Amino acid sequence: QRVRIARALAQKAPILLLDEPTASLDLGHAAQFLSMVKRIASDQNLTVILAIHDLNLAGLFADRVVLLHQGEVHFDGTPHYVLDAQRLSAVYGTTLHRIEHPANGRPQIVIEDPTTEDAPA
């Protein structure tokens, strides 16, 4: 992934389009990679468009989130707006909760515990 970023930067691309760049990375490397991309984007005034399924990484690193469902935009805005438990629960068809990251207050999503008493056996 770093090589691809370097190639794009060498070509002086004003926009980086990244499709699931953290899919094969463990959590530590994914966070390092996205930190690097965010720093480079800021330093070089680049726009980064990132397709990612990890809502928590999006909550931590994105300035803007666009939530797609069945090929359509359902919500578009800040992570705090889009990563809302009710909005996400409706789209994903399961009960989700939002908590605030303890270090920075950014939104993080947790799924309802399916082992609770109310869950069907």
Side-chain angles (χ1 to χ4, degrees), residues 19 23 25 28 33 36 51 62 64-65 69 71 84 88 98 101 112:
D19 184 17
L25 301 177
F33 177 80
M36 177 194 70
R64 178 177 168 194
V65 175
H69 180 62
D84 173 79
L88 295 174
R98 181 171 90 183
H101 191 284
E112 180 80 15

Side-chain angles (χ1 to χ4, degrees), residues 31-53:
Q32 283 179 334
F33 177 80
L34 293 175
S35 292
M36 177 194 70
V37 169
K38 189 162 183 131
R39 187 178 57 255
I40 290 170
S42 177
D43 292 349
Q44 299 195 18
N45 197 30
L46 298 175
T47 296
V48 177
I49 300 172
L50 174 70
I52 191 167
H53 284 91

Side-chain angles (χ1 to χ4, degrees), residues 10-22:
Q11 296 172 10
K12 302 201 184 296
I15 298 173
L16 294 177
L17 179 59
L18 305 174
D19 184 17
E20 291 290 341
T22 60

